[in-house]
Amino acid sequence: MNPNYLLVAQRAKHQCEYCHAPEVIFNVAFEVDHIIPISKGGLDESPNWALACRVCNLRKLDYVDGFDPVNQQQVRLFNPRTDSWYEYFAVQGEAPFLLESTTSIGRATLDRLQMNAPLQLRARAQWITLGIFG
Ligand SMILES: [Zn+2]
């Protein structure tokens, strides 16, 4: 396990800092993501760490940008350290509980991390039913 896991997980309240998956119902610890990958000059320091679920971390890989399908442009991804999740994302109030964004960065992140993929939607509906998504 990443030696910085506990610090990062507590700071994130054990919630994926991208899709807001609640770690409490998983049978595996979430991962310490480098927001700016080491391969792209990111530092292995606290301001560059984010808690990410396995799915988000696998989809983010070493990308730092994504495509906004509305404005048709490449923009940087959401940064959990400098951006407020609630300013970039909102969940629809009814099924299928899509995540939406009014920003290019939010839409590009939703697209890159496939945060509205069928399995994500299925899981999010359960988290909402259990009252552990927020
Ligand atoms: Zn996630």
Side-chain angles (χ1 to χ4, degrees):
M1 180 177 290
N2 184 302
N4 305 305
Y5 164 78
L6 196 56
L7 168 90
V8 175
Q10 287 177 339
R11 180 174 65 190
K13 299 182 172 63
H14 295 272
Q15 185 176 49
C16 175
E17 295 189 78
Y18 295 101
C19 76
H20 270 194
E23 188 181 38
V24 67
I25 60 163
F26 286 77
N27 62 357
V28 62
F30 283 0
E31 302 172 5
V32 176
D33 167 56
H34 290 97
I35 298 165
I36 305 297
I38 300 292
S39 64
K40 298 209 167 145
L43 302 176
D44 190 26
E45 297 178 350
S46 179
N48 194 37
W49 296 333
L51 191 69
C53 72
R54 184 74 185 132
V55 172
C56 286
N57 211 13
L58 280 172
R59 289 177 175 153
K60 186 169 172 284
L61 296 172
D62 65 344
Y63 291 107
V64 293
D65 61 2
F67 187 73
D68 171 16
V70 174
N71 289 340
Q72 300 283 302
Q73 57 186 192
Q74 205 75 13
V75 296
R76 72 169 175 87
L77 295 177
F78 170 77
N79 181 328
R81 292 284 70 75
T82 58
D83 303 325
S84 165
W85 195 91
Y86 297 98
E87 290 178 12
Y88 283 84
F89 304 107
V91 63
Q92 287 183 337
E94 57 189 43
F97 303 110
L98 292 168
L99 286 180
E100 304 172 309
S101 183
T102 58
T103 69
S104 283
I105 289 169
R107 289 188 296 264
T109 304
L110 290 172
D111 183 71
R112 171 69 73 201
L113 275 55
Q114 301 173 45
M115 290 158 67
N116 287 317
L119 291 178
Q120 283 281 66
L121 293 176
R122 188 176 75 181
R124 189 174 304 129
Q126 296 302 314
W127 304 332
I128 289 170
T129 299
L130 293 168
I132 56 174
F133 180 82

